[in-house]
Amino acid sequence: MAAPSNIRINPFIGDGGTTNYVDFTEVHIIPAVSPFVVRLNEVPQKKDPSNMKVVYVNETTGAPTTTALTEVAATPGAGEFRPDYSTNADGDEDWNTGLIEFSSADAGKIIQVSYTGMGTLAGVKNNRFPSWWLDRGDGSDGDFVPTGNTTISGLKQYRSVFIPAGVTVNINRFVKIKCQGAFINLGTITVNNRVTSGGGSDSAGQSGTCSVGGAGGSGYRGYGGAAGGALLGNLDISQDITYYGAAGGGGGQGGYIDEYGSYGGAGGAGGGSICILANSVCITGNISATGAAGASSSNATYRGGGGGGGGGGCIIVVANSIKNTGTLSVAGGAGGAGNQSGATGGAGILALKELGVM
């Protein structure tokens, strides 16, 4: 019988090697539905009873409490946990799953686990999913627990994330968050700097500039707005493909250009991008990657076309377990007012992928 492809083993067993034990602390969310199992990020040291310490985390502040759960050797009840409940997989006592079983009474609760590990992620990669779905980084950026409004962008590699209620995390165009433990958002995440907007028509009645995508602006008297383009781009080549909302087209110029020429409204900026790769995710707050509204025409009497709304951006969440009772939006922006209103930007990409316990 072949060994399970998704269970890890101590690589030092039988090789005469010396294990360099390392102490770890991780934050996880107990799944809301069965099986109520959490998988540790490292191979834990084999002991019976274990040296694990599991405490509840305050769900308002993100701070660990002093209320510890009790380790048991049988099926756990409320306030209890059982480590490595499927040890001896494949008939080999050296297999170590790194799994912890909890009671249904604790489903959805946030916990902090402290334990001694082998100091290696020695394991066979699960080949059921694309490799980037399982890439949760190296934790080099530590725990992210902002106490006030802040801005982040680019690649972030956290051990855990806890955004309290009332705190806003602004994303500068795009971010890819790799999180080894729990990602918890009780506050607001918003992409505040979007993709460049399309311009309005110039005084000669030509289409204004427009980056790829979004809704085209509305023209007037034959001067059409800039056309929309694709809803796929790459904001940073180092981060693989990053989807983002396209900018809206600029509105066409108004009529009677010799006397009353007026510019069409500028297209709205496209929504930015956020990608979250985590062990577990809980969202009760908001994540917004919306397109901006198109601008209105500048002349109230001889109006040009309104600018097209920016296309919605991208929100991607991939985790073993996802609990989402918040608001996630990738809506396109409204068209600007004019002799003819600009079109509303198209919706972006919203994808939540729950992998289950592996």
Side-chain angles (χ1 to χ4, degrees):
M1 180 185 297
S5 65
N6 62 340
I7 296 180
R8 296 170 292 186
I9 189 172
N10 178 358
F12 304 103
I13 293 294
D15 292 334
T18 301
T19 301
N20 182 23
Y21 293 112
V22 180
D23 292 330
F24 294 97
T25 299
E26 301 175 7
V27 177
H28 294 276
I29 304 169
I30 300 172
V33 296
S34 179
F36 307 103
V37 173
V38 164
R39 166 160 245 167
L40 299 174
N41 292 324
E42 287 283 352
V43 179
Q45 182 182 11
K46 291 274 297 212
K47 283 189 174 183
D48 187 17
S50 74
N51 64 353
M52 292 182 188
K53 180 181 179 182
V54 182
V55 299
Y56 294 114
V57 170
N58 185 298
E59 297 189 9
T60 300
T61 66
T65 70
T66 57
T67 304
L69 287 77
T70 303
E71 180 177 340
V72 295
T75 302
E80 298 177 338
F81 69 96
R82 176 168 61 164
D84 292 324
Y85 76 96
S86 60
T87 299
N88 298 330
D90 196 36
D92 186 342
E93 66 180 8
D94 291 327
W95 283 104
N96 191 334
T97 64
L99 298 175
I100 309 176
E101 182 186 19
F102 295 87
S103 166
S104 60
D106 287 318
K109 292 184 179 178
I110 307 169
I111 54 165
Q112 176 182 279
V113 184
S114 302
Y115 67 100
T116 300
M118 304 294 187
T120 176
L121 284 173
V124 179
K125 290 289 186 182
N126 190 305
N127 59 8
R128 291 184 296 156
F129 307 116
S131 59
W132 68 271
W133 287 10
L134 305 177
D135 182 3
R136 290 157 191 167
D138 58 14
S140 56
D141 289 317
D143 298 309
F144 182 56
V145 187
T147 57
N149 297 347
T150 188
T151 299
I152 61 174
S153 63
L155 174 64
K156 296 297 181 182
Q157 305 191 70
Y158 296 122
R159 290 196 302 258
S160 67
V161 173
F162 187 94
I163 302 172
V167 170
T168 296
V169 176
N170 294 305
I171 307 303
N172 187 357
R173 301 186 72 195
F174 75 101
V175 71
K176 178 177 283 186
I177 296 175
K178 299 180 180 182
C179 181
Q180 293 183 330
F183 180 100
I184 300 165
N185 175 35
L186 311 182
T188 298
I189 301 175
T190 182
V191 180
N192 64 333
N193 290 324
R194 302 175 174 90
V195 181
T196 306
S197 66
S201 296
D202 60 27
S203 60
Q206 302 299 314
S207 296
T209 59
C210 177
S211 71
V212 291
S218 174
Y220 179 56
R221 289 189 179 272
Y223 303 116
L231 291 175
L232 169 64
N234 198 329
L235 292 180
D236 184 341
I237 196 168
S238 68
Q239 298 308 311
D240 303 318
I241 292 294
T242 300
Y243 297 89
Y244 61 98
Q253 183 194 332
Y256 305 107
I257 60 174
D258 293 334
E259 300 181 55
Y260 304 108
S262 63
Y263 290 102
S273 172
I274 178 170
C275 178
I276 300 167
L277 308 171
N279 185 293
S280 52
V281 170
C282 176
I283 301 170
T284 62
N286 306 310
I287 302 180
S288 175
T290 57
S296 298
S297 173
S298 60
N299 188 301
T301 303
Y302 298 96
R303 304 187 77 174
C314 178
I315 299 174
I316 295 176
V317 180
V318 181
N320 291 351
S321 63
I322 299 175
K323 177 183 178 182
N324 174 35
T325 59
T327 301
L328 280 62
S329 178
V330 291
N339 181 70
Q340 298 178 29
S341 297
T344 299
I349 297 173
L350 173 60
L352 277 65
K353 184 66 177 179
E354 188 171 43
L355 306 179
V357 178
M358 296 179 291

